[in-house]
Amino acid sequence: MSRTAERAIAPPSQVAWARYCGVYLLLFLIGTETFLISPLLPTIASSVRVGTAAAASAVTAYTIVYALTAPFLGAVSDRFGRRPTILIGAVLFLLGNVMAALAGNLGVLVLGRVVGALGAGFAGPSIWAHLAETSGEAVRGRAIGLGMALFAAGQVLGVPAGGFLAGWGGWHAPFWVLAALTVLALPLLHSQTRTPDRRFERRPLRLGAVFVIWRDQTARRALVVVLLLQAASLGAYTFLGAVLHDRFDLSVGALGVLGVLVGIGSALGSLFAGRIGDRARRHGRDDAGWIPVWAVVLGVSAVLAAWAAPLVLVAAVVLVWFVASGAFVTNVQTLLLTTRPDLAATASSWNSATLYAGAAIGVAAVGAFANAAVGIALVGGGLALLSALTALPLAGRTRSAETRTKAGEDS
């Protein structure tokens, strides 16, 4: 093996964190972009002279475009490789934020968000596949877990950061900052995503491969589990603020602190799951057995959060809830990336699309209840339990190709 090829694979006992700083920065920025616009809606609506509901189309445009296009863009990554799609995605993400920063009307703002979503759809699945393919099996969980933690941190920090920057320089300022940080990431991405792997050059582009992942029994079950658990988690959490406001008379600021706990919990869960997954793989096992455990913990936490008192207990429960959520997402992402290595980006993109679909289903299900606390308990707890039961057959069936090969060599 050449020295270039040797450097492309991290040492078996540690993650070469420095060689991933570019992709980690872009993951953080993509996470930040997701909810950045939420605190800016009233200001944007006033500035471009539309109603708040109309201004919210800039939020829905981003999520819908990402959910609908990501699986197809993942297939492009699986054909042409990680580096070109990560770089194209970063450039589109940059362009989308520049358009939003320059927008003087709602149409240009929405178009900028659409371009930014396409950039995230190109880059996101490719980054996850890149991490799985270049980090090495012994440290793969930690490499993916840190990425998940930074993505979650970006989502949480996006709301207060957007509000602070808008107060300092107007609602355009947050988009300029995102664009500037993306410019800083581009040279890192260009230099750090080079690999000697040329296998992509031999593959035809098959957009039909977008749906092949659903024919894999393990991947299909994992995606169904994601759909159920995200419906439980995000559906329940969407209405939790209203329930806690009514029960404890919480201010908007206090509910914002709850959001910080969500981010801390998600990041801790992602990091923890990455470590225990790597430890399991060192002993020739996989970490899929933890998926139903996290689902049960999440469901119990959602039920307790709907009815518990005092407030400090609710805060502790919410923290545990999102530790379980972050750990679950990391475990499932790792599972999907290693189940079909030839379709890693496609599988990762379906994970994101399924997450959005689950959130929409969960919000609709909880919203159907006249009493939101009852809806949180029944939908959050019930779907989480169903998710855990659906995930049970995944345990012990997902030893990676690297582990099976190693076992064969040792026998």
Side-chain angles (χ1 to χ4, degrees), residues 154-230:
Q155 288 183 317
V156 174
L157 291 175
V159 173
F164 171 78
L165 290 170
W168 167 70
W171 67 265
H172 298 88
F175 297 106
W176 282 121
V177 171
L178 278 179
L181 292 174
T182 306
V183 169
L184 291 178
L186 277 171
L188 295 173
L189 294 169
H190 184 268
S191 63
Q192 294 176 351
T193 55
R194 294 176 179 174
T195 68
D197 193 346
R198 305 178 68 86
R199 69 186 185 278
F200 299 103
E201 297 178 4
R202 299 188 295 271
R203 295 179 179 174
L205 176 59
R206 297 177 299 147
L207 291 181
V210 171
F211 304 101
V212 168
I213 200 72
W214 289 93
R215 296 206 291 267
D216 183 283
Q217 185 176 7
T218 298
R220 181 174 64 248
R221 183 177 290 273
L223 290 171
V224 171
V225 170
V226 170
L227 181 75
L228 293 171
L229 197 68
Q230 295 304 330

Side-chain angles (χ1 to χ4, degrees), residues 13 82 181 305 345 376:
S13 61
R82 312 310 176 202
L181 292 174
I376 290 172

